[in-house]
Amino acid sequence: MIDLLQLLIGDSLTRLVFFPMLACLPLLLLRQERTVKRYTLVAALVELGLVLWAVGNRLGAGGAFEPWHDLAESGSPIEWIPRFGIRYELMMDGISLPLVVLTALLLPIVILGSWRGITHQWRGYSASCLLLTSGILGAFLAVDLFLFYVFWELMLVPMYLLIGIWGGRRRVYAAIKFFLFTMAGSLPMLLAILWLAWSHSQIAGAWTFSYDLLSRLDFPIAQQMLLFGAFGLAFAIKVPLVPLHTWLPDAHVEAPTGGSVVLAGVLLKLGTYGFLRFAMPLFPHAASAAQPLLVTLALIGILYGALVAWVQSDMKKLVAYSSVAHLGFVVLGLFAFDQMAWEGALIQMVNHGLSTGALFLLVGMLYDRRHTKEFDQFGGLAKVMPWFATLLVISALASVGLPGLNGFVGEFLILAGSYRAGLALPVIGATFGVVLAALYLLKMLARTLWGPLDRDENRELRDLSLREILTLAPLVILMFAIGVAPERFLTPSREALTTTLAEFHERRDEPAPMALRWRQSAPTPDGIGGERAAIARVER
Amino acid sequence: MLDLLWLVALLPFLGAALGAVLGPRVDKRWTTAVALGAPGLSLLLALGCIFEYVRNVSPEPFQSVCYTWSAAGFDGYMAHEGGYQRFFVYMNLFMGSMLLLVLGSNYLVTFVGWEGVGLCSYLLIGFYYEEKFPPYAGRKAFIVNRIGDFAFLVGLFALVSRFGTLDYRTIFSAVAASPEAMGEPYLLGMSFAGFVGLCLFIGAMGKSAQIPLYVWLPDAMAGPTPVSALIHAATMVTAGVYMVVRSNAIYQLAEGVSGLVAIVGALTAIFAATIGLAQTDIKKVLAYSTVSQLGYMFLAAGLGAYSAAIFHLGTHAFFKALLFLGSGSVIHAMGGEQDLTKMGGLKERLPSTYRTMLIGTLAISGVPLLSGFFSKDQILAAAWGGSKPLWVVGWLTAGLTACYMTRLLLLTFHGEFRGSEEQREHLHESPPVMTWPLWVLATGAVVAGYVGIPRLGQFDIHVFDRFLSPVLLEVGHHGEAHHASVAVELALMAASVAIAAAGIWLAWKIYGAARGLEGGRGWAERYPAVHRALVNKYWVDEAYDATVVRGTWASARGLYRFDAGVIDGLVNGFRHVTVGTSMLSGFFDKYVVDGLVNLVGWLTQAGSRVFRRLQTGLVSQYAMVVVAGMLVLVFFVVLFR
C-alpha cells in the first residue's frame, strides 16, 4: 500500500493511470456546469502534460524508448494478492507508448469537442470520460493478466454510461449491445487467463498472472489453439473483425461525439493491441496456424467495410464502417509477422485514431448545428463553412491514405511488409481497398461540401468557432507531421517490435511440445529487479 | 547549385502553404506575388541546375518552362474569377507535386508526387464546386486514377519485397545485373519483370488516360481552362509516359507487357482521334486529342523507342498547352461559351489567338518543319521497324489528327459567326497578359522539334537522344533499335506528310470556306450510325455506368442488406432467443415453481376452511364426536378380531 502511494506521488506509470480517476473526486464539490467543464479540461490537460513530460524525459538519443516499469522501492514488482500470485505490474514500452500518448491526447480533445454538444449532467459526463481514460491507460500498461482484465472490464462501464446516457435515440439498445458483445468476448478470455495461471501452478507449484512469467510456458498445440481462440475472440470483438462488428455502427451512431472519438480512437485499438501484446507472443504456434483465417477476415473487413460504408446515408455510420475497413489493415499487418508490417500496423492504429477522431468531431460539429447527420440534408457547405470544409477535406484525405498525410505511411508499410512476408495475393486484394476508400470518403465530401447550396437551413450555418478549430488543430497537425516525417514517430517503437517479433519467430520455429513445459530457449533476462528471484521462488 | 535541387520542389510547396496562410482576404497583389514568385524562383533554380548538369535526366526543363508561362497566363484568365487565392494555392501545390514526381530519385517519392498531382487535379477539376458537374468530374478523375494507383502500389510492393529499396539506380542496376532472374515465373503466371511492368503500366493507364481508364480526362475539362492546359494536357497526364520510360530497364525485359503497352497506346490513339472528329465542345475536342497523343507516346514507349516517347511528350506539351490556352482565350472572348457550333468567324476579332492557334494546329498535325512533325515521325519510324500493323494505325491517326484539328480551327475562326448578338458585342481579343504566353508557347511549338532532328544515315545531330542516353540502360541482349535506311526514312516522312495533308484537305473540304456546319451535317446524314457512335463517344461512359458503377453499387447495397439483415439479424435473433427463453423461464417460475408454492398455501387454506367447521366450541358436540369415534373403534375391533 505504501509502495503504491509512493508510486502515485512520484514520476510513475501509476500516476499516469490514476490521475484521471482521482481527478473525478473534486467533481463531487462542483456545482456549476461551466466550472465543471473548465475543471475537466484543466485536468485533462494536466494528464496530457504528465504523459508528455514523462515520455519526453525517457526518449533516448535518436528517439529510442527503453521499457519503463513501475517497481516498488525494493526494486521488485508490487504483490497485490500474493496468494494467487497476482501482482500490480505496469510497464510501458515502444508498443504501448504511442497508444498511451494517443489516449492522453484525445481526452482534452474530447472534453473540448463536447463543450456544446453535451447539454446535461456534465459532472457525470466528465467523470465517465476521466474514468474511461484511466481504464484504457491501465489496460494498455498492465502486464499482469489479472490486472489487465480488471482494467479491461473497468473501461466498459463508463463507455456504457456514455452511450446509454448521452447518446441518441436508440442509445439504450446500442449501449446494451456494446456491453453484451464485449462481455461475451471477455468471459472466455477470463477463463483462458485463469487456465494460464493454473497451468503455471501445475508446473511450478504456484499461481501467477504475470505476463513475463507466463510467457515462459510452452503449451501443446491443442491447448494453444483453445487459449488463443479465447483471447482472440475477445480481441476480435473489440477490433472488430467481420462478422463480429455489428455492435460498432450502432454504438457509434448512438454515442455522443466524445464517446465516438474515444471508441474509434483508442478503444478499438485495445483489440489489435491485445493481439500484439498477449495473444501472439503467448501462443505463437496457434497464432501462425490462425494466420490464414485472420488474414482472410481482415481482407473481408477491408473490402466489406468499405463497400458497406459507401452506401450509408448517415455520416456517422459511414465513418463507423470505414473503421471496420481501416482496422482490417491493422490486423492484416499484425498477422504478416513482419517487421515492416508491424511498424505499419502500430502507426496505423495511431493514424486511425487521428483521422477517424477528427472525422467524428467534424460530423459532431455539423450535428450540433443542424441536428442531423443525413447526407440528404447537406450539400454546398464549402461556401458557408470554409474552415469546416478545409479540415474535413484534410481529414478525409488522411483517411484515404494520401501521401504526405499520416494514413499513407501506415498503409504503405503494412501492405509492403505483408507482401514481403509472402501474403502477395491478400495484399493485392487489400490494396484494392484503397480504391474503395476513395469511393466512400469522396462521396462524403461531395455530398456535404460540394454542389449547390440548395437548402435554406444551410445558408445561415456558422463556420467553425475558434474553440472548434483548436479542438481539431492537434489532430490535423499530427496528420501532417506523421505524414511528412514518419521516421520520427516510428523509431520509439522499433526496438520493442523487433524484440517481440524476433522472440515470436524463434518460438514459432521450435516445434510445439507434446505436453506443457518450460520454454526451451528462455529469453535473456531483461533486467527487471527481482524477476529471477521470483522465478527461483516459483520453481522451488 | 545542384545541392539546391531539393529547393526546386520545395519552393512551390512553401508557396502553397504561404498562400493558404495568407487567406482569401489579403490583397490580390500579395497572392499573385506568392503564386508566381515561388514557381518563378523554382524555375530559376532548376535552370541553374540544368546548366550545371546538362545531362539531367528528366523532361523537367520543358515542364518548368510550361509552368511559369502558363502560370502567367492564368493570372489574366483568373482575374475575373472568384477563389483567386484558392486557385493559386492549388496550383502551387500542383507544381510542387509535379516536380517531386519528376525529380524523385526513387519510386516512393515519385509516387508521392503522383498522388499529389492527382489530388490537385481533383481539387482543380472541381474548382467550381458550387455547380453540380465539376465536383462529380473531379471525383471521377480521382477514383479512376486510384484504380491505376492501386496497381502502381502493388508494383511498388513487388519491387520493395524483391530489392528492399525503391531507389531507381539500385533497382535498375540490379535488374541489369541479372536479367535472367527477372524472367523467371513470379506470380499469376507472369515473370517478375512482366508483373511489375504490368502493374506500373496500369498505373500509367490511369494517370495518362489510356484505354480502359481514359474516361476521366474528357470530363476533367470541367475545370478552369488554364488547368486543362497545364495539368490535363502538358504535364500531369504525361506522368504515366514518364514513369514507363523511367522504368525502361524493366520493360526491356518484359516483351509481352511492352507489346501490350504499344497496342494499348495505338488503340487509344486512333480511338480517341475518331471521337475527336465529332465533338462540338472545343475543350472536349482538345481533351480527346490529348488522349490520342498520349496513345502515341505509349506506342513509342511500348516499341522501345523511349527517347521518341519523351521527345513527343516535350513537343506535345508546347503545342497542346498552346491550343488549350488559345481555346481559353476564345472561351473568354465568347463569355464562357465552349460550343463550336456557336462560334465561327472569330479570325478578325482575335488575331493573335487565331495566329498562334493556327501554328499549334499545324504543329500537331505534323506539318513539316514544325515540332510535331519531328516527334511524330520518330514514333512512326519506330513503329515501322517494330510492327507494321501498329504503323498503319499510327499513320491513320496522324490523318485523323490533322482532320479534327483543322475542323476545330475552321469552325472557330472561319465562316460566319453563329453566336448570339450579345456575344458578338462582347467579342474582344484577350489582354496581353493572356496573349504573350500564347506567343511564347507558339515559338516553342515551332522550334522545340529541332533538338531531335531525325538521324539520317551518317547525318546525326540528335541532341535529344544523347541527352537521355544515361537513363536508357541497355538491359539484356536487346540491341539498339534497328534504324531504317535513309530511303525508307524519307519515304515514311513523305507518307506522314501526305496523310496529314489529306486530313487537312478533308477538313477543309467539309468545313472550309463558308460551308461551316453545313458540310458536317451532310456527312452526318450520310453515315448516321457512325455519327451517332462518335458523338456519343461509343457509349463507353454509359457502358461503364451500367456495368461497373451500378454493379458495384448494387453489390454494396446487397452487402449492407446482408449486414443489417443476416449478421445483425443473427445478433438480434440471439437476443430474441435469449429474451424469449427468459420469458419462458419467468413464466415457468411464476406459474410452475411459484405455483406449487402457492398451491401448498392454497391447499392449506382450503383445508383449514373445511376443518374450521369442526371447531364449534360446543362441549356437547365434542362429546358426541368422542362417543361416535369410540363406537366406530369398538365396531372395528369386534369386526376384525
Side-chain angles (χ1 to χ4, degrees):
Chain A
M1 199 65 211
I2 294 166
D3 282 334
L4 203 60
L5 279 178
Q6 269 176 345
L7 279 173
L8 201 55
I9 51 173
D11 173 25
S12 69
L13 293 169
T14 307
R15 183 169 69 177
L16 303 185
V17 172
F18 288 98
F19 176 78
M21 194 185 276
L22 294 177
C24 290
L25 294 178
L27 284 172
L28 293 171
L29 304 174
L30 300 177
R31 287 256 160 259
Q32 273 194 313
E33 186 186 297
R34 214 170 44 151
T35 346
V36 171
K37 285 187 205 175
R38 286 185 183 166
Y39 165 76
T40 319
L41 182 62
V42 170
L45 287 173
V46 170
E47 168 71 7
L48 175 61
L50 288 174
V51 168
L52 290 180
W53 185 76
V55 168
N57 276 345
R58 282 171 179 79
L59 273 184
F65 187 83
E66 290 293 313
W68 171 23
H69 293 259
D70 255 11
L71 299 173
E73 209 163 13
S74 59
S76 56
I78 301 170
E79 301 290 333
W80 179 17
I81 308 175
R83 218 181 120 197
F84 293 109
I86 296 171
R87 292 171 174 179
Y88 173 82
E89 200 176 359
L90 298 179
M91 190 270 289
M92 186 200 264
D93 66 356
I95 296 176
S96 39
L97 165 75
L99 298 166
V100 167
V101 175
L102 180 67
T103 311
L105 175 73
L106 286 182
L107 179 61
I109 288 177
V110 160
I111 300 300
L112 209 54
S114 313
W115 214 253
R116 293 220 188 287
I118 299 298
T119 47
H120 60 105
Q121 288 167 286
W122 251 95
R123 282 201 298 176
Y125 185 78
S126 294
S128 298
C129 287
L130 291 167
L131 266 179
L132 184 60
T133 306
S134 279
I136 295 171
L137 288 176
F140 278 135
L141 293 172
V143 281
D144 182 281
L145 285 171
F146 191 86
L147 190 64
F148 170 74
Y149 186 78
V150 169
F151 281 122
W152 175 274
E153 295 289 305
L154 174 68
M155 71 195 177
L156 208 55
V157 179
M159 194 66 224
Y160 168 76
L161 293 178
L162 280 179
I163 300 176
I165 298 180
W166 294 274
R169 247 180 336 109
R170 294 171 67 230
R171 58 181 178 267
V172 176
Y173 170 78
I176 293 177
K177 196 170 181 180
F178 162 78
F179 200 91
L180 289 182
F181 246 107
T182 316
M183 286 301 278
S186 50
L187 281 177
M189 182 168 79
L190 179 63
L191 286 179
I193 291 174
L194 293 174
W195 187 357
L196 274 176
W198 175 80
S199 302
H200 189 268
S201 80
Q202 289 305 101
I203 193 169
W207 289 57
T208 183
F209 289 85
S210 166
Y211 169 79
D212 277 315
L213 296 177
L214 290 176
S215 68
R216 286 166 168 73
L217 293 177
D218 225 357
F219 287 92
I221 184 76
Q223 289 185 33
Q224 276 198 34
M225 296 299 270
L226 276 176
L227 290 165
F228 181 83
F231 273 90
L233 181 68
F235 298 145
I237 287 174
K238 211 53 158 197
V239 169
L241 279 173
V242 175
L244 304 169
H245 65 283
T246 53
W247 62 270
L248 184 75
D250 281 314
H252 269 313
V253 171
E254 299 308 325
T257 304
S260 289
V261 172
V262 179
L263 191 59
V266 283
L267 224 62
L268 305 185
K269 281 25 172 241
L270 271 156
T272 45
Y273 169 84
F275 274 117
L276 182 57
R277 170 70 83 207
F278 299 113
M280 298 200 306
L282 284 175
F283 319 111
H285 299 97
S288 297
Q291 185 192 35
L293 174 70
L294 279 142
V295 166
T296 310
L297 289 181
L299 184 59
I300 292 175
I302 292 170
L303 301 176
Y304 180 93
L307 281 171
V308 175
W310 185 35
V311 296
Q312 297 307 318
S313 58
D314 180 297
M315 295 172 82
K316 258 187 143 178
K317 229 170 179 174
L318 186 149
V319 183
Y321 275 107
S322 85
S323 292
V324 175
H326 277 102
L327 271 294
F329 277 102
V330 178
V331 174
L332 172 68
L334 290 179
F335 279 87
F337 308 123
D338 175 275
Q339 175 78 19
M340 199 196 281
W342 273 19
E343 282 182 23
L346 191 57
I347 197 83
Q348 190 67 356
M349 293 185 208
V350 177
N351 290 338
H352 175 258
L354 297 175
S355 53
T356 307
L359 286 175
F360 275 126
L361 283 167
L362 284 158
V363 174
M365 289 167 188
L366 209 51
Y367 184 81
D368 289 348
R369 288 166 170 71
R370 287 277 276 105
H371 296 285
T372 175
K373 310 182 293 267
E374 295 287 318
F375 282 122
D376 296 350
Q377 299 292 319
F378 300 108
L381 296 188
K383 180 96 184 146
V384 281
M385 302 173 75
W387 268 103
F388 174 80
T390 311
L391 296 177
L392 186 63
V393 169
I394 293 173
S395 308
L397 291 174
S399 193
V400 167
L402 200 84
L405 292 164
N406 57 353
F408 175 70
V409 178
E411 278 178 12
F412 189 89
L413 289 174
I414 288 172
L415 293 170
S418 307
Y419 191 103
R420 187 171 78 168
L423 298 173
L425 290 177
V427 165
I428 293 176
T431 312
F432 198 74
V434 169
V435 179
L436 299 179
L439 214 55
Y440 63 77
L441 283 159
L442 292 195
K443 170 196 168 173
M444 176 156 120
L445 296 184
R447 298 290 289 275
T448 49
L449 302 180
W450 318 136
L453 184 66
D454 46 9
R455 282 188 170 265
D456 288 334
E457 306 93 301
N458 294 338
R459 266 180 245 282
E460 300 296 317
L461 284 182
R462 281 172 299 109
D463 201 356
L464 300 189
S465 66
L466 184 64
R467 171 187 62 81
E468 288 167 322
I469 292 171
L470 283 179
T471 311
L472 291 162
L475 299 176
V476 174
I477 290 170
L478 275 173
M479 285 176 205
F480 278 105
I482 298 180
V484 175
E487 199 54 27
R488 239 12 253 105
F489 296 86
L490 292 170
T491 14
S493 309
R494 184 158 296 146
E495 178 94 24
L497 289 175
T498 317
T499 326
T500 314
L501 188 66
E503 208 168 296
F504 174 83
H505 278 299
E506 190 185 323
R507 290 189 63 179
R508 190 183 60 168
D509 295 342
E510 295 166 5
M514 299 308 290
L516 180 64
R517 64 165 189 209
W518 290 111
R519 277 180 54 189
Q520 298 303 297
S521 55
T524 48
D526 47 3
I528 312 169
E531 190 68 87
R532 265 171 296 172
I535 298 171
R537 192 170 64 237
V538 161
E539 280 172 347
R540 217 184 301 132
Chain B
M1 200 80 187
L2 262 183
D3 14 315
L4 291 179
L5 198 62
W6 56 276
L7 258 183
V8 175
L10 188 66
L11 273 169
F13 282 121
L14 290 180
L18 192 59
V21 171
L22 282 179
R25 277 179 285 277
V26 176
D27 190 339
K28 238 180 188 176
R29 274 171 304 177
W30 286 101
T31 316
T32 316
V34 173
L36 297 183
L41 266 177
S42 166
L43 172 68
L44 287 180
L45 263 175
L47 286 178
C49 290
I50 291 161
F51 279 126
E52 192 170 305
Y53 186 67
V54 199
R55 289 152 75 99
N56 190 340
V57 290
S58 64
E60 186 255 350
F62 292 108
Q63 295 181 339
S64 278
V65 172
C66 291
Y67 292 150
T68 321
W69 295 148
S70 315
F74 308 155
D75 190 35
Y77 186 84
M78 298 306 292
H80 306 296
E81 309 267 347
Y84 190 80
Q85 172 255 358
R86 191 159 56 94
F87 182 80
F88 281 110
V89 168
Y90 294 168
M91 285 312 287
N92 267 315
L93 200 59
F94 170 76
M95 290 178 204
S97 305
M98 192 68 207
L99 286 166
L100 217 53
L101 197 163
V102 290
L103 292 179
S105 69
N106 62 56
Y107 278 108
L108 191 63
V109 175
T110 297
F111 186 75
V112 171
W114 181 276
E115 292 286 279
V117 292
L119 165 69
C120 298
S121 171
Y122 165 70
L123 292 170
L124 284 164
I125 295 170
F127 185 75
Y128 304 116
Y129 64 82
E130 286 160 72
E131 292 161 37
K132 270 222 153 74
F133 186 68
Y136 166 76
R139 187 148 57 113
K140 180 170 171 184
F142 196 86
I143 287 166
V144 173
N145 266 299
R146 271 256 143 173
I147 296 175
D149 298 347
F150 145 68
F152 192 167
L153 273 173
V154 173
L156 296 193
F157 301 149
L159 284 171
V160 89
S161 70
R162 164 82 48 124
F163 299 108
T165 175
L166 287 172
D167 185 65
Y168 288 132
R169 273 174 200 228
T170 322
I171 289 180
F172 298 148
S173 53
V175 167
S178 59
E180 307 78 36
M182 299 296 113
E184 284 160 15
Y186 181 64
L187 195 67
L188 305 172
M190 280 176 273
S191 71
F192 182 76
F195 180 70
V196 173
L198 182 66
C199 286
L200 297 184
F201 178 54
I202 295 174
M205 275 178 186
K207 193 77 40 197
S208 293
Q210 296 297 292
I211 294 173
L213 300 180
Y214 73 91
V215 284
W216 65 272
L217 186 58
D219 284 351
M221 297 301 132
T225 306
V227 170
S228 312
L230 176 68
I231 301 182
H232 302 121
T235 55
M236 183 188 85
V237 289
T238 60
V241 182
Y242 165 79
M243 208 233 330
V244 169
V245 173
R246 171 61 92 189
S247 315
N248 65 80
I250 293 165
Y251 283 94
Q252 288 179 42
L253 293 174
E255 279 177 44
V257 174
S258 286
L260 181 73
V261 173
I263 292 169
V264 167
L267 286 181
T268 309
I270 195 158
F271 181 80
T274 53
I275 297 176
L277 284 173
Q279 296 306 306
T280 51
D281 181 318
I282 186 168
K283 285 177 74 179
K284 280 267 164 75
V285 177
L286 291 174
Y288 279 104
S289 164
T290 308
V291 174
S292 167
Q293 298 297 311
L294 290 165
Y296 263 119
M297 296 173 210
F298 280 107
L299 171 62
L303 292 167
Y306 301 110
S307 69
I310 294 294
F311 185 29
H312 194 58
L313 188 161
T315 57
H316 174 256
F318 281 107
F319 52 71
K320 191 49 69 61
L322 164 62
L323 288 167
F324 263 115
L325 284 184
S327 77
S329 168
V330 169
I331 295 165
H332 192 66
M334 294 285 297
E337 183 63 73
Q338 303 194 6
D339 193 346
L340 284 173
T341 60
K342 305 272 171 56
M343 296 176 185
L346 302 184
K347 193 164 57 165
E348 278 78 26
R349 307 294 289 271
L350 299 147
S352 284
T353 310
Y354 172 62
R355 281 179 210 143
T356 48
M357 276 189 85
L358 179 62
I359 294 172
T361 304
L362 295 178
I364 194 177
S365 304
V367 169
L369 305 182
L370 299 179
S371 61
F373 168 73
F374 294 114
S375 56
K376 204 177 280 184
D377 178 69
Q378 265 194 24
I379 294 175
L380 289 175
W384 181 264
S387 151
K388 300 285 183 295
L390 291 181
W391 178 81
V392 174
V393 175
W395 182 70
L396 284 175
T397 308
L400 292 172
T401 310
C403 185
Y404 67 71
M405 284 310 304
T406 312
R407 168 179 175 267
L408 180 141
L409 198 75
L410 290 174
L411 286 180
T412 314
F413 292 103
H414 291 251
E416 292 290 308
F417 183 71
R418 295 180 294 270
S420 64
E421 273 312 301
E422 200 184 326
Q423 283 170 327
R424 189 195 292 277
E425 299 292 305
H426 181 260
L427 281 181
H428 60 275
E429 179 60 287
S430 304
V433 70
M434 282 173 83
T435 53
W436 68 262
L438 288 177
W439 281 110
V440 173
L441 287 168
T443 316
V446 175
V447 303
Y450 290 91
V451 296
I453 290 178
R455 187 197 316 232
L456 286 174
Q458 295 305 307
F459 179 64
D460 178 11
I461 51 165
H462 204 315
V463 188
F464 198 70
D465 246 356
R466 262 178 278 142
F467 183 66
L468 280 179
S469 55
V471 247
L472 301 177
L473 292 171
E474 281 303 323
V475 177
H477 50 271
H478 301 266
E480 173 80 2
H482 181 69
H483 273 280
S485 68
V486 179
V488 173
E489 189 110 355
L490 285 175
L492 287 177
M493 273 189 206
S496 31
V497 173
I499 191 123
I504 294 175
W505 172 80
L506 185 65
W508 179 265
K509 193 161 165 288
I510 301 172
Y511 298 99
R515 279 185 292 277
L517 287 175
E518 290 307 315
R521 217 163 279 151
W523 279 66
E525 274 157 23
R526 228 180 305 163
Y527 305 106
V530 177
H531 183 252
R532 265 218 319 275
L534 294 183
V535 166
N536 289 304
K537 311 151 206 163
Y538 300 109
W539 296 280
V540 172
D541 274 322
E542 286 78 2
Y544 278 176
D545 197 53
T547 55
V548 182
V549 180
R550 265 167 219 273
T552 318
W553 179 258
S555 50
R557 298 274 324 178
L559 280 180
Y560 180 46
R561 250 180 247 131
F562 173 77
D563 197 68
V566 179
I567 299 186
D568 209 31
L570 275 176
V571 173
N572 283 332
F574 198 68
R575 166 190 163 211
H576 290 309
V577 169
T578 315
V579 171
T581 323
S582 312
M583 279 170 69
L584 273 181
S585 320
F587 190 84
F588 182 82
D589 195 59
K590 190 166 170 193
Y591 294 101
V592 182
V593 179
D594 209 30
L596 277 175
V597 175
N598 285 337
L599 187 68
V600 172
W602 183 83
L603 281 177
T604 316
Q605 253 185 356
S608 315
R609 223 170 276 134
V610 173
F611 294 115
R612 192 188 66 181
R613 306 203 182 268
L614 294 177
Q615 305 291 331
T616 52
L618 297 173
V619 179
S620 56
Q621 262 184 19
Y622 291 167
M624 206 176 81
V625 171
V626 170
V627 170
M630 280 184 67
L631 279 178
V632 170
L633 218 65
V634 167
F635 176 73
F636 271 101
V637 170
V638 171
L639 198 64
F640 292 105
R641 181 82 166 271

